[in-house]
Amino acid sequence: MARAGLSTGRLVAAAADLADEAGFENVTLSALARRFGVKDASLYSHVRNIQDLRTRVALLAGGEMIEAIAAAVAGRTGKEALVAFAGAYRDYALRHPGRYAATQIRVDQELAASSLALRRTAEVTYGLLGAYGLTEPDLTDAVRLLRSTFHGYCALEAGGGFGAPRDVRASWDRTVDALHAALTHWPRDAGTRTGAETETEGEAEAEASPGT
């Protein structure tokens, strides 16, 4: 029997907190059972297995992250929007390392299609890039550029990977400047896509990770 007061929402929130404290890879059902003072079996009333739990944490974190980004970007366009997007991304990744790690797992596409958080991610990300006049397949390429740059930088920064005396924030600002220049002067692909292909491919890439 499930312990009174223990719900799926509380369990997922506790797992997200544990991820920030101990690392996403250390989120286990046993660790959460100890946190709630119950047996492991009690948790199966709320989640199917550890993969289900971690997917729920990924969706929770992705929703939190994109709402922070959307709030930062609201009312801005062009470089101002890119700076705001990048700043909110970096802030979330550094303040919530375990949650952020969860956003990098690949979510089942059927589940992704029904996720409001991932649809919101596509909306905000493609809205930002669309303002630069990009269309497919350049949109997907640009999403991948932003995601790999932001993720790589944040991962190195969080791990203490930058050893030079140059201020890390100053380098971040210059990186965003360089991305703005790249997006403004994007090398156009000569290929063309139909509207259906544009929507499907673009949304699939954005939805592949809540932290895009």
Side-chain angles (χ1 to χ4, degrees), residues 126 135-137 139-140 193-203:
Y126 281 82
T135 58
E136 291 291 8
L139 269 174
T140 293
R193 302 293 174 92
T194 66
E197 289 173 326
T198 295
E199 179 179 358
T200 300
E201 187 170 47
E203 290 184 354

Side-chain angles (χ1 to χ4, degrees), residues 126-136 138-139 183-184 186 188:
Y126 281 82
L128 168 74
L129 295 173
Y132 282 94
L134 300 180
T135 58
E136 291 291 8
D138 295 324
L139 269 174
L183 294 171
T184 301
W186 191 266
R188 305 293 170 169

